[in-house]
Every structure is written in C-alpha cells, then in structure tokens.
Amino acid sequence: MTPRNRLSPSRSPHSRLYRILLWTSIVLAILIIATVIAGDIALRRVGPMVKAKVIAALSARFDSRVELASFHVSTVRGFEISGTGLKLWPNHLAMSDPLLEVDRFSFHLLGWQQLIQTPDFINKVRVTGLVIHIPPKNERAHLPHLGSGSASASPPASSANADQNRPSDQLTVGEILVDNATLVFEKDQPGKQPLTFVIHKLTLHSVAAGQPMKFEATLINPKPLGDIATTGDFGPFDAQTPADTPVDGKYSFTHADLSTIRGIGGILSSQGTYSGPLNHLDVNGTTDTPDFSLAMANHPVPLRTTFHAIVDGTSGDTHLEPVDGWLNQTHIVASGDVTRSPGQTGRDISLNCTVGPGRIEDILQLTAKDPPIMNGPVQVQAQIHIPPGTGTIGSRLEVNGTFTLSDIHFTNPKIQNKVDELSLRGQGQAHQAEQEVDAMKSGNLKAATAANAASTISGSFVLSNGQIGFPKLDYAVPGAEVQLMGRYILQAEALDFTGSARLQAHVSQMVTGWKSFVLKAVNPFFAKDGAGTQVPVRITGTRSHPSIGIGH
C-alpha cells in the first residue's frame, strides 16, 4: 500500500464534514440573502402602507390635512420609522402657516407587529425642527382637541372611517427629544408681531393624550439675551384655550446681557419657581446683577432682588407684587405692571416705588455721569412710568414722587463751603464764615469746610423729558431755611431755582466790620414772620459750578 493510499482513509471523515459545512454555509448564505431581499421587498411594500396609515391616523386625530414629504421603514437598527417634512393644516381653520411642522423625526418599534397594529407604547421619539403656530385667540375655538385624541367640534363627513384610523388614546411615548423648537402665539391685531419662544432643546417624559408630562428645556431668551434652563410638569394641554394649560417648574436664567435692552447694562442671573395656568403663572425668584448700570451714567452698581410676580405666559404681561431689592446699600421695594401696548414698540411699565433706608450716593452713582456730589440717608416715594417706544429708557422715564434727604454732606468742597457759609452767617457767626471763604480762596480745602454743616432736603419732584421739575423744594441747614421751586436739566446738568431764604440772624449779624454797623438800620426791613432775615434767592449755574444770588 502506498503512502497516499494509507492517508486517504484518515482524511475521508474530515473531508465529508468539511463538504457538509461548506454546503450548509452556502445554503444559509443564500437563505440570508434571500431573506434580506425578501425583507427589503416587503419593507418597500409595507413602507407606503404604514405611511398611509400614519397620515390617516394623524389626520383623524388632529382633524387636519397632513403633509409628509418622506417616510422610511428600516431594519438596520431594529424597526425604525423616520420621516421628513411633516405638516398639519387644520381642516376648519384658515392658517397661513401649518399648525404643526417638523423637519425630521424618527422612532423605533418593538417588533414587526407594530408595523401593522397601532402601538400602545413607543420608547423614544426624536424630533428636529419643531414649529407650533397657535392662532389668535378669536380663532382658537376651531383648533382640534390636541390633548384629548378626538377631532374638533366639527368632525369630517367620513367619521366612521376616521374612527377606524384614529389611534388609541392609550398610546404613551416614554420620551420625546426635540432639537430646535419654536412656539409662536399669533396676535389678534393685524400686523402685530407674534410672541415667539425659541427652545434650543426640549425633552418630554411620559407623553400621553390628556395627561400631564414632565419636561426639561434649554432656550435662549432674546431680550435680555441669556440662557434659560427649566424643568417641570406641563399639561394636560388645552388646545381650545392654550392659555389655561397648567404648568409648574423651576428655572435658571444665566448670563443675561442687559445691554440688549436699550438704556441699561449689566449681566443678570436669576433663579426661581413658577406654577399655574400659562396665562396666570405665579412666579417667585431672585435676581443678582453685580454690575447694573444706566446708559446715562454708565456707573455699575450691584443690584439684588427677591420678587413675586403674576405672569401671563402667552403675552408676557407681568404684575409685580412686590420686588424687594438692594441697590448697593439702598433698599428698594416696587410693585406694579409691565404690559404690552397694542400697536407700539416695547412694553408699558408702571411701578409704585419706595426707597429706604437708603443712601443718596447709591442713586446718584447710578444716574449721574460724575461721582456723587453728596452723601447721606434718603427716603423716596415715587410713581414710575416708562411708556413704550424706541428711545432709551432714560429718555422715556417719567417719575412723580416725594423725597427726604437728611444729614447730607456735599463731596464737592466748593459746594460744601457755600453751605457752611450760609449756615454760619444764618447763625450770626460772620467771622467764622469769612475765615472759611478766605481758606477756599487760598486753596485750604480742609479749613474751607471746617463747619461741615449738615443739610436736610425734602420736597416733591416730576422727572420727564430729560429734566426734573421741583414744584416744592425745602432746604435747611443750621441757621437757615430755603424754600425753592425750579428745575434741573439732566443732560446739561443745569440749575434754575427761585425762592426765599429765612435766616435766624439779622442782616447786620451776617457780616463784619463797618458793613455790620451800616446794616443795623435796615434790619427791620428784612425781618419778617419771626425770621431775623428773609430774602428772595436764585440758584443758577451747573451742578459742579452753582451760582447762589440774593434777589430774583
């Protein structure tokens, strides 16, 4: 027997096994290929059928004409349904834009059975480019009942067929992930810009018809420009009156650039909670703006607030009750309304404001270009109105109020020197007054303000059109009382006041030397109503260089 013949019996079993495996693999491969081809053919046939079923179901559910640009069924990653260009047009409402439109969507089914039968659960749906247009209030009665799964009050004629195609109300979606959503509330007034909310990312949990859902969202607020992150519960959605849809949650507003609102500046952050129907949200929160400023002065001042507000989420109208804030060391409490005005740009702001305890230097730092000219305690009661318009807040600001400044000292030595002179001469201390005058002339500022007389200022004021009018302004220092009326022009920092001054001392006691002797004869002519001297006064000039004169 040759070596070759001796080997063949030992190879035969392996050879047969090899051939069996080879042919089996070939058959399996053919079967797999055939299955893939058959599956592809089946999916190609099932795809249009499922697309038609989806369109019919959406049409019945939302009583709308449905457009679906493309629709795909794939088994590459399980049973995946995807599509593009989905639009819903309500049958009983003429809209220039679709009620709902989606750029792209996709979701997975649990098995092939759900391709034929309507599923009752979908784990996750992904949506990109969602836009929802809510028509004006007077047209919303014709909206389909989005939250109930039934059609509108006026069902289509073929209601029996619609009922067959209508999806079960028991359908639940575990999670909906939305990228780039826009919610648009159209206005009743023709030509008025709609209220638009742009949501960068939105996640909805446990979504079912007629049920509330949990949500997480991040969005960019347009004005003031900043980032908002919010979580909470929404719904069930009320399509007939969307404003009545309940919502509650918490929010964080960060990196809000106040300079995007004309006339103010600073970077604001805010945290808080909200609850209630969309048109009557109860909001509680805090804000922190370490560098708040007004464009008219551009001097940053720290501003912190705690607030309670009622907000109409469909219009943005806000009722503040109240805002409790601190502007540096000054306590401010405000209440009022921020509302939209038909046909006008911007919002109408009306506030009642109380300031105190506070410091006048905090307010002056916020409102004046130069460093504060005085310091001391301040109390203010005021009504603030900022009408809508395109101008800066400073140019539109209207304020009507009363104020009291006590224990006031001026930071400008020239002004404080004039105050000291008035006080000293009013008390009959003419020699000390002239010493301070001489010290100011020689540049000895410390001696020029040695008396450092404290002033008290009170009165009423009206701010509008870039100027502050003072119908009543009372000014007092030891030895003298001045009653004035007039105005202060903000841009020019110009003073224009007239009034009368009452001093304790007689005219002759306010000067020295021979002048004192000569003026004794006229003391009776200036002494009036219990005052040693009463004379008319006029204050003109500028804030930094005032001119105080006797007589009108």
Side-chain angles (χ1 to χ4, degrees):
M1 181 178 292
T2 65
R4 181 176 182 179
N5 292 333
R6 286 198 300 266
L7 290 173
S8 58
S10 63
R11 291 178 54 196
S12 296
H14 293 85
S15 298
R16 286 195 297 272
L17 179 60
Y18 173 76
R19 287 195 294 273
I20 291 171
L21 292 174
L22 176 62
W23 283 105
T24 300
S25 300
I26 292 173
V27 171
L28 288 174
I30 292 173
L31 289 174
I32 292 172
I33 294 172
T35 301
V36 171
I37 293 173
D40 182 66
I41 294 173
L43 288 177
R44 289 178 184 273
R45 294 180 178 179
V46 169
M49 180 184 69
V50 176
K51 176 182 179 181
K53 186 173 182 179
V54 168
I55 290 177
L58 291 173
S59 178
R61 165 66 67 82
F62 300 119
D63 190 18
S64 300
R65 175 171 59 86
V66 178
E67 296 178 7
L68 186 54
S70 67
F71 186 86
H72 304 284
V73 180
S74 172
T75 59
V76 175
R77 293 172 293 180
F79 288 95
E80 182 184 54
I81 306 295
S82 62
T84 63
L86 173 63
K87 297 181 180 180
L88 271 63
W89 302 83
N91 288 324
H92 304 282
L93 189 60
M95 297 182 65
S96 58
D97 296 296
L99 172 66
L100 181 147
E101 53 184 316
V102 174
D103 286 345
R104 296 189 302 276
F105 68 89
S106 66
F107 59 90
H108 286 79
L109 299 178
L110 299 178
W112 63 269
Q113 296 92 341
Q114 290 188 328
L115 288 174
I116 302 173
Q117 301 174 354
T118 301
D120 57 7
F121 179 79
I122 295 176
N123 183 46
K124 183 181 294 185
V125 176
R126 295 184 180 275
V127 176
T128 301
L130 169 66
V131 181
I132 300 176
H133 294 271
I134 303 298
K137 289 182 179 180
N138 58 0
E139 300 179 12
R140 291 173 190 169
H142 301 290
L143 279 175
H145 296 270
L146 302 183
S148 64
S150 62
S152 68
S154 302
S158 57
S159 58
N161 294 332
D163 289 339
Q164 294 176 1
N165 291 323
R166 185 171 296 140
S168 168
D169 289 344
Q170 301 304 314
L171 173 63
T172 299
V173 179
E175 189 176 55
I176 299 179
L177 305 176
V178 183
D179 287 333
N180 301 322
T182 304
L183 181 60
V184 181
F185 286 89
E186 300 291 346
K187 294 300 180 181
D188 293 328
Q189 297 86 358
K192 188 172 183 181
Q193 290 297 318
L195 182 65
T196 302
F197 297 91
V198 179
I199 304 173
H200 181 56
K201 286 188 178 295
L202 173 64
T203 302
L204 304 174
H205 301 277
S206 301
V207 182
Q211 300 296 321
M213 66 190 80
K214 293 188 178 298
F215 68 88
E216 302 161 8
T218 59
L219 57 149
I220 297 176
N221 192 68
K223 188 178 287 189
L225 183 63
D227 302 319
I228 297 178
T230 181
T231 62
D233 297 283
F234 179 85
F237 180 69
D238 189 331
Q240 294 290 2
T241 53
D244 292 333
T245 301
V247 61
D248 69 87
K250 59 183 180 179
Y251 75 90
S252 175
F253 189 18
T254 57
H255 309 297
D257 186 358
L258 297 181
S259 66
T260 55
I261 300 175
R262 190 176 181 185
I264 64 176
I267 301 298
L268 174 145
S269 62
S270 178
Q271 292 78 38
T273 61
Y274 52 90
S275 61
L278 279 175
N279 63 352
H280 195 81
L281 288 172
D282 192 284
V283 184
N284 292 278
T286 62
T287 71
D288 184 14
T289 311
D291 55 350
F292 180 72
S293 65
L294 297 179
M296 65 176 69
N298 198 27
H299 289 158
V301 178
L303 174 63
R304 305 178 307 279
T305 70
T306 300
F307 65 88
H308 174 228
I310 302 299
V311 180
D312 184 342
T314 64
S315 66
D317 290 352
T318 301
H319 177 66
L320 301 169
E321 51 174 35
V323 176
D324 191 306
W326 286 89
L327 182 73
N328 204 7
Q329 301 179 64
T330 298
H331 187 213
I332 303 172
V333 178
S335 61
D337 298 284
V338 181
T339 59
R340 286 179 172 247
S341 296
Q344 300 189 55
T345 301
R347 297 184 181 273
D348 189 283
I349 302 174
S350 295
L351 301 173
N352 291 316
C353 185
T354 300
V355 178
R359 303 290 300 180
I360 186 60
E361 58 265 35
D362 292 339
I363 298 175
L364 293 175
Q365 183 176 346
L366 182 68
T367 58
K369 294 180 180 179
D370 296 328
I373 63 169
M374 65 179 74
N375 54 59
V378 62
Q379 298 277 344
V380 179
Q381 294 281 345
Q383 292 77 48
I384 300 173
H385 181 222
I386 305 176
T390 57
T392 64
I393 288 180
S395 66
R396 292 181 284 130
L397 180 63
E398 301 172 1
V399 186
N400 190 330
T402 61
F403 69 96
T404 299
L405 291 81
S406 57
D407 195 25
I408 294 298
H409 297 271
F410 290 88
T411 59
N412 185 324
K414 291 183 180 180
I415 299 178
Q416 187 61 47
N417 176 258
K418 295 289 185 182
V419 170
D420 285 0
E421 183 181 2
L422 174 62
S423 176
L424 293 170
R425 292 188 188 278
Q427 297 175 78
Q429 301 176 26
H431 288 286
Q432 187 175 347
E434 291 180 357
Q435 288 174 357
E436 284 206 11
V437 171
D438 293 338
M440 176 59 68
K441 292 179 180 178
S442 65
N444 186 346
L445 300 182
K446 184 177 181 179
T449 57
N452 197 27
S455 301
T456 298
I457 309 172
S458 63
S460 59
F461 66 97
V462 178
L463 186 157
S464 65
N465 299 320
Q467 67 179 22
I468 307 175
F470 294 89
K472 181 177 185 294
L473 179 61
D474 296 333
Y475 175 81
V477 291
E481 295 178 355
V482 182
Q483 295 180 336
L484 299 169
M485 62 180 298
R487 62 175 181 165
Y488 174 69
I489 302 175
L490 294 172
Q491 187 68 28
E493 298 184 341
L495 302 163
D496 184 13
F497 291 90
T498 59
S500 63
R502 291 169 54 86
L503 300 95
Q504 295 176 2
H506 291 290
V507 174
S508 62
Q509 296 172 320
M510 290 188 284
V511 293
T512 60
W514 64 268
K515 295 180 182 178
S516 176
F517 177 78
V518 170
L519 290 175
K520 285 182 179 181
V522 298
N523 281 342
F525 297 100
F526 290 95
K528 297 179 182 179
D529 302 325
T533 302
Q534 181 171 314
V535 293
V537 295
R538 182 176 181 85
I539 302 175
T540 57
T542 64
R543 182 177 68 90
S544 56
H545 296 89
S547 175
I548 303 175
I550 302 297
H552 293 300

